Amino acid sequence: MSENIWGYRPAAGHVTGSNLAGYKVEATDGSIGKVDKHSDEVDASYLVVDTGVWIFGKHVLLPAGTITRVDAAEEKVYLDLTKEQIKDAPEFDKEKHLTDPAHREQTGEYYGRHRRV
């Protein structure tokens, strides 16, 4: 896949430097939670989403390339993934995602297989 999974899509409408914390996150088949944290780092952009009760209060790591649209007016982020695809993703480890290249690679490969471009 030529498009970088860790970069925002040009058509997604994300403005670098804007704060997405607190935005609702929508999978193709419904809401999955709210953005807890995000990064705009070049080639390493991501969202950490608090899923609340949906997946027993877990957090999930979503590469920025899975975002199809950011709606600032509604404060929502739309993904090209289903709830099931997100639920089946590699487990998020808040310590490893920034320090362990293998964890980042595994997560990127998983989402790269499932997204629609």
Side-chain angles (χ1 to χ4, degrees):
M1 197 159 285
S2 62
E3 199 172 331
N4 177 12
I5 192 74
W6 295 101
Y8 288 94
R9 297 176 189 190
H14 174 66
V15 177
T16 301
S18 61
N19 186 0
L20 301 178
Y23 276 39
K24 292 180 182 175
V25 182
E26 300 286 329
T28 58
D29 55 351
S31 181
I32 65 157
K34 289 187 176 186
V35 176
D36 185 51
K37 177 179 166 184
H38 74 100
S39 167
D40 284 340
E41 189 175 329
V42 176
D43 294 332
S45 299
Y46 62 85
L47 301 177
V48 175
V49 178
D50 181 349
T51 63
V53 296
W54 177 60
I55 316 179
F56 310 112
K58 288 189 177 182
H59 287 76
V60 293
L61 177 66
L62 298 169
T66 62
I67 298 168
T68 57
R69 183 166 60 100
V70 175
D71 188 326
E74 290 186 9
E75 294 192 351
K76 287 186 180 180
V77 174
Y78 295 87
L79 309 174
D80 67 356
L81 301 163
T82 65
K83 289 180 171 184
E84 194 67 25
Q85 288 169 326
I86 295 164
K87 189 175 178 181
D88 291 345
E91 188 164 340
F92 171 61
D93 183 321
K94 70 179 185 176
E95 301 301 323
K96 285 185 177 180
H97 91 278
L98 293 175
T99 61
D100 182 357
H103 183 268
R104 182 177 182 269
E105 186 176 323
Q106 179 186 25
T107 301
E109 285 177 2
Y110 174 83
Y111 285 116
R113 287 192 309 268
H114 292 287
R115 74 176 178 159
R116 297 178 211 114
V117 285

